[in-house]
């Protein structure tokens, strides 16, 4: 089946297409259109035109539209979940496609109900001053392939809620689910408010450079984020960058290895590790190191990996060959450098890009899989003796997205959490994001935040009105 763009509320054929494959089977599942410069310009023009009216509709109308979008997602949840599984590889069950769709619905509803009321900054004999928040214009959204629909919702909903219009460009690896979701969302939106175009990475550059696009919201790698920032400077676009992470977890000596094993596992292996704020390096106190390794290995063995369309699968394949090869290289390098394999590290040849759940012990900080973001189902487990040393090692990274501390004493854990250089820290959990809590990275992991009213504000500019 050939998928289509949605531009100005209409289904638009692309001239050329490329095949999308199922990462569990390598079977072709559909063809994605490749936007020409002309297709792209049509989408930007439609969004620009729609902005003149959408920016002026009442707040309650925009709120209702966002609730209607949540309804559309709910009504079409099973169809979208199945398409996501075929395209992305994540299972229907577990923390997979249905979970992702439930997140889309929850985030849509929560964002719909957020308000940014006028603030009165002064109201006295010298006059009244009000601060208003206004939409920015056309928002260009660029998304990655790991959580294609949820991340699209994180970009689209706050943009639309605050009166902006959107042109979204999904990852070339996972375009189909976004094409279909935007088509469905357009059944309840005015024409041009939400447009989707797909194609190669070049389309991302067109978006970031375009003079009629006023803000870019980008989720992806640090390397591409730097390019986005560079291009966006040309017309001083507003930017939100949610970039890569190399999150560390620190297990304090008072933690119970048996109790924390399940939380550690899901912190690291959610979406087969292909998650920005997944646990990617685990520092464990020497006194409980072997126990943590044993309990984590036992739990990991119990989680079935398979084709996501089978209801029994809880973890699926890597999404694409490039990522599979990168992960394989990093694990092979760790093993060559003396890592002890507790589990996995020995993939079978296809079909599909299945990589076994892998746990690596006795590994040093300078090994590549510790220094670089592996973005796959392999966790290095490192030993420490002094907690200050563990914090220093955890912080010794250009990344600063998330972190976690594992302990049976919350006060002790909080003291360690506050010394970690990252945007979010979880105690006895990892990566559990919520729509009411701002999420974003420090250092090279990003600029700005998403979620909650802090995230909503990023889609507005401030206008202060004096002399009232
Ligand atoms: P990527 O940077 O390769 O691609 C992301 C998007 O950018 C894709 O749509 C791609 O087509 C587009 N793109 C490529 N070149 C571009 C350019 N020059 N200008 C504009 N756009 C361009 O990232 P990926 O491999 O798709 O995603 C994995 C990365 O994303 C990981 O590093 C992960 O940690 C990160 N990520 C971060 C978050 C977060 O919230 N911080 C969430 C998910 C993923």
């Amino acid at each position: 089946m050939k998928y289509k763009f949605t531009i100005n509320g209409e289904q638009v054929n692309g001239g050329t297409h490329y095949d999308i494959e199922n990462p569990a089977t390598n079977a072709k599942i559909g063809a994605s259109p490749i936007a020409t410069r002309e297709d792209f310009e049509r989408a930007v023009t439609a969004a620009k035109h729609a902005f003149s009216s959408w920016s002026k509709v009442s707040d309650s109308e925009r709120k209702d539209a966002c609730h209607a979008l949540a309804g559309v997602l709910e009504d079409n949840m099973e169809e979208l979940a199945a398409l996501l599984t075929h395209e992305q590889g994540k299972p229907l069950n577990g923390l997979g496609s249905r979970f992702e769709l439930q997140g889309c619905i929850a985030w849509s509803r929560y964002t719909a109900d957020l308000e940014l009321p006028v603030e009165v900054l002064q109201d006295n004999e010298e006059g009244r001053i009000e601060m208003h928040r206004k939409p920015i214009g056309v928002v260009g959204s660029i998304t990655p392939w790991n959580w294609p629909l949820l991340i699209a919702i994180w970009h689209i909903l706050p943009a639309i809620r605050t009166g902006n219009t959107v042109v979204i460009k999904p990852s070339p690896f996972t375009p189909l689910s976004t094409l279909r979701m935007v088509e469905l969302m357009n059944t309840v939106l005015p024409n041009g408010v939400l447009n989707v175009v797909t194609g190669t990475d070049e389309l991302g550059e067109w978006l970031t450079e375009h003079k009629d696009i006023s803000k870019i919201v980008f989720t992806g790698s640090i390397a591409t984020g730097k390019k986005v920032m560079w291009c966006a400077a040309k017309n001083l676009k507003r930017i939100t960058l949610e970039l890569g992470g190399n999150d560390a977890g620190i297990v304090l000596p008072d933690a119970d290895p048996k109790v924390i094993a399940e939380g550690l596992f899901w912190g690291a292996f959610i979406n087969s590790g292909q998650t920005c704020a997944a646990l990617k390096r685990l520092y464990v106190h020497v006194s409980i190191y072997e126990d943590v390794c044993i309990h984590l290995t036992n739990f990991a063995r119990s989680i079935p990996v398979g084709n996501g369309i089978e209801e029994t699968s809880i973890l699926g394949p890597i999404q694409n060959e490039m990522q599979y090869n990168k992960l394989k290289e990093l694990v092979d390098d760790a093993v060559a450098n003396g890592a002890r394999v507790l589990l996995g590290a020995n993939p079978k040849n296809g079909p599909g890009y299945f990589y076994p759940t892998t746990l690596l012990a006795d590994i040093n900080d300078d090994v590549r899989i510790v220094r670089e973001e592996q973005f796959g189902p392999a966790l290095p487990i490192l030993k420490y003796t002094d907690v200050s040393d563990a914090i220093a090692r955890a912080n010794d990274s250009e990344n600063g997205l998330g972190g976690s501390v594992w302990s049976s004493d919350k006060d002790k854990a909080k003291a360690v959490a506050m010394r970690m250089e990252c945007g979010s820290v979880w105690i006895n959990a990892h990566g559990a994001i919520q729509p009411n809590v701002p999420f974003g990275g420090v250092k090279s992991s990003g600029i700005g935040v998403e979620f909650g009213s802090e995230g909503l504000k990023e889609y507005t500019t401030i206008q202060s009105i004096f002399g009232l």
Side-chain angles (χ1 to χ4, degrees), residues 47-83:
K48 189 180 171 189
H49 187 253
F51 180 72
S52 57
S53 47
W54 185 247
S55 57
K56 295 185 189 73
V57 307
S58 71
D59 190 69
S60 68
E61 217 172 303
R62 292 204 290 256
K63 177 179 184 160
D64 290 348
C66 291
H67 276 296
L69 291 176
V72 166
L73 295 171
E74 201 159 42
D75 293 346
N76 296 280
M77 178 168 151
E78 274 302 308
E79 181 205 326
L80 288 170
L83 180 55

Side-chain angles (χ1 to χ4, degrees), residues 391 395-397 399-402 417-423 442-443:
I391 297 168
N395 288 340
D396 180 22
S397 165
N399 302 82
L401 194 58
M418 290 180 68
R419 293 170 64 190
M420 293 181 81
E421 295 168 358
C422 47
V442 301
K443 302 201 276 189

Side-chain angles (χ1 to χ4, degrees), residues 286-312:
V286 65
S287 62
I288 55 169
Y289 186 82
E290 287 307 326
D291 278 353
V292 168
C293 288
I294 289 166
H295 287 289
L296 197 47
T297 307
N298 288 344
F299 187 84
R301 270 189 221 286
S302 71
I303 301 300
V305 181
N307 185 338
I309 213 70
E310 289 159 15
E311 298 276 350
T312 48

Side-chain angles (χ1 to χ4, degrees), residues 143 145-146 169 172 201 218-221 224 242-244 276 373 375:
T143 55
W145 46 261
N146 57 344
K169 183 212 92 65
D201 290 345
F218 171 84
T219 304
S221 62
T224 313
E242 293 290 357
L243 308 179
C276 53
E373 186 185 27
F375 219 61

Side-chain angles (χ1 to χ4, degrees), residues 43 50 97 152 165 176 248 252 277 304 351 364 400 402 425:
S97 296
T165 56
L176 303 184
L252 300 184
N364 297 323
V425 194

Side-chain angles (χ1 to χ4, degrees), residues 154 217 350 371 383 434 451:
W154 293 345
V217 51
R371 305 299 314 165
K383 234 176 248 167
Q434 299 184 190
F451 316 156

